[in-house]
Amino acid sequence: MADVANRAGVSAMTVSRALKEGSRVSKATREKIMAAVNDLGYVLDQSAGSLSSRKTGFVAAIVPSINNSNFADTARGITDELESTGLQLLLGYTEYTTEKEEKLIEAMLRRRPEGIILTGGAHTDRARRMLKSAGIPVVETWELPAKPIDQVVGFSNEEAMGLLVKTLAAKGYRKFGYIGGTTSRDTRGSQRREGFIKAIEELGLSPGHLVSFGVPPISIEQGGQAVVSMLERWPDTEAVLCVSDLSAFGALMECQRRGMRVPEDIAIAGFGDYEVAAFCHPGITTMNVDCYGIGQQAARRLIQVIRGGEKKRGQEIFLTAYRVIERGST
């Protein structure tokens, strides 16, 4: 900063003020300082100011996976909403384990984010204690936790899957199968499974065929292997619903490889409205849950509290929309 001040012919304090948003520095002085900054490649060290103001200039977000397009869209919604605020995003991923999430939460809180966005409502007891004592806004997303920590931006995965089942039942399908993971570490997957079972019961249909295959997240390959297992055990299955579009795509490809016609011989539906679901042939019927909008709304809630637009009011739930996208696979 002293080098910039010398180059611009001003004091170090003037340089500091000029580099802060909203400071009262004349246009001519600011331009002279910025020219010196550019010449010298100077970057303002904000750590000292962060200690005194308690404003670090970033928020944290934790997602299960960074190679899942749904969560990538949510992260993009967060960053786009933050863009005009000057806040930056620190992103971490859990690989679908609450133990890794706990470690990430601790590491991020040590850096004093101004807010934190989480995926889901399943956390370790220690993680919940850390979040509650942090004194910052917390937003849980992608589902509706039974015991919210602070604010929630999400939807009922159970009800969304139930709607998908009922949509296919209205088309005349009666013998359903469901493909999901082998563990409960993906809480949203477990909720979708429960929604499937409940909808089948409400419709008065024979119990659906359930295949658990692979540790979440289920891959395209595992989706193909799972549909083979289902058809070997229950060859009369009429419609297969999958925990995600990736497993649905794998099931679709395997059925076509075996000479089965989709949807004439078997119908297939997914969840999440991934890009692959729209551009494969036939297109996959799926559930759109507005992944990008979830990120936008979550960031918006943080910004309103951080910037003082509204007071933190404790536990609040903001429901996001979901809708069935019908395509050629059903």
Side-chain angles (χ1 to χ4, degrees):
M1 188 176 289
D3 291 340
V4 172
N6 289 335
R7 174 74 67 96
V10 298
S11 68
M13 184 63 70
T14 301
V15 173
S16 178
R17 287 201 303 269
L19 295 177
K20 293 179 181 177
E21 292 185 14
S23 60
R24 295 181 178 179
V25 176
S26 71
K27 182 180 178 180
T29 300
R30 188 186 301 276
E31 288 177 349
K32 187 164 54 175
I33 290 171
M34 293 310 299
V37 166
N38 292 333
D39 289 343
L40 297 172
Y42 174 72
V43 177
L44 177 66
D45 182 357
Q46 294 183 323
S47 58
S50 297
L51 291 173
S52 61
S53 68
R54 300 183 65 85
K55 294 186 182 297
T56 54
F58 79 93
V59 299
I62 298 177
V63 297
S65 171
I66 57 174
N67 63 354
N68 179 309
S69 64
N70 279 180
F71 298 125
D73 284 344
T74 296
R76 186 166 56 86
I78 295 170
T79 54
D80 285 354
E81 193 67 23
L82 293 176
E83 186 174 8
S84 63
T85 69
L87 291 167
Q88 300 299 315
L89 177 66
L90 176 64
L91 185 67
Y93 67 99
T94 67
E95 296 180 329
Y96 292 86
T97 68
T98 54
E99 293 77 16
K100 186 167 183 179
E101 183 196 57
E102 178 188 305
K103 293 178 181 178
L104 281 170
I105 289 171
E106 182 177 17
M108 288 177 167
L109 290 180
R110 285 177 176 174
R111 290 164 174 78
R112 298 292 184 262
E114 297 187 41
I116 188 166
I117 297 171
L118 307 171
T119 304
H123 319 289
T124 66
D125 290 341
R126 181 168 178 264
R128 294 182 69 88
R129 289 195 298 270
M130 287 191 291
L131 290 164
K132 287 183 175 180
S133 64
I136 60 174
V138 176
V139 181
E140 295 167 289
T141 63
W142 269 89
E143 58 185 80
L144 302 179
K147 297 180 179 179
I149 294 172
D150 184 5
Q151 301 185 65
V152 174
V153 173
F155 63 97
S156 170
N157 284 269
E158 182 178 313
E159 291 180 3
M161 179 57 77
L163 175 60
L164 188 56
V165 172
K166 292 172 183 177
T167 299
L168 267 62
K171 295 170 73 73
Y173 297 106
R174 289 295 177 268
K175 297 179 180 179
F176 287 86
Y178 179 82
I179 292 174
T182 56
T183 72
S184 60
R185 72 178 193 171
D186 176 11
T187 56
R188 290 157 301 285
S190 298
Q191 292 159 11
R192 291 168 198 170
R193 177 189 174 106
E194 289 305 310
F196 172 84
I197 295 171
K198 184 177 179 180
I200 294 293
E201 292 175 349
E202 290 177 352
L203 290 167
L205 302 177
S206 58
H209 310 316
L210 304 173
V211 172
S212 299
F213 201 101
V215 176
I218 303 178
S219 67
I220 292 173
E221 179 182 6
Q222 290 168 329
Q225 294 168 341
V227 78
V228 171
S229 176
M230 177 173 291
L231 293 175
E232 286 177 348
R233 296 173 64 185
W234 302 290
D236 62 340
T237 303
E238 297 175 350
V240 177
L241 280 72
C242 301
V243 67
S244 75
D245 285 347
L246 291 183
S247 51
F249 179 72
L252 172 66
M253 293 297 99
E254 182 60 32
C255 287
Q256 291 181 335
R257 190 180 72 81
R258 290 171 175 260
M260 298 182 69
R261 298 170 301 162
V262 178
E264 292 83 358
D265 298 327
I266 189 168
I268 296 173
F271 198 105
D273 198 14
Y274 289 57
E275 187 174 24
V276 68
F279 292 99
C280 62
H281 181 76
I284 298 173
T285 292
T286 186
M287 179 64 68
N288 178 288
V289 296
D290 191 15
C291 314
Y292 179 84
I294 289 173
Q296 276 191 310
Q297 185 64 255
R300 199 169 296 150
R301 301 309 307 162
L302 288 188
I303 293 166
Q304 288 173 342
V305 177
I306 292 169
R307 294 297 187 239
E310 64 178 57
K311 293 182 179 179
K312 191 167 180 255
R313 297 178 294 189
Q315 295 177 352
E316 292 185 289
I317 297 175
F318 299 87
L319 297 176
T320 56
Y322 54 83
R323 60 191 176 96
V324 175
I325 305 293
E326 294 192 58
R327 297 193 177 107
S329 68
T330 60

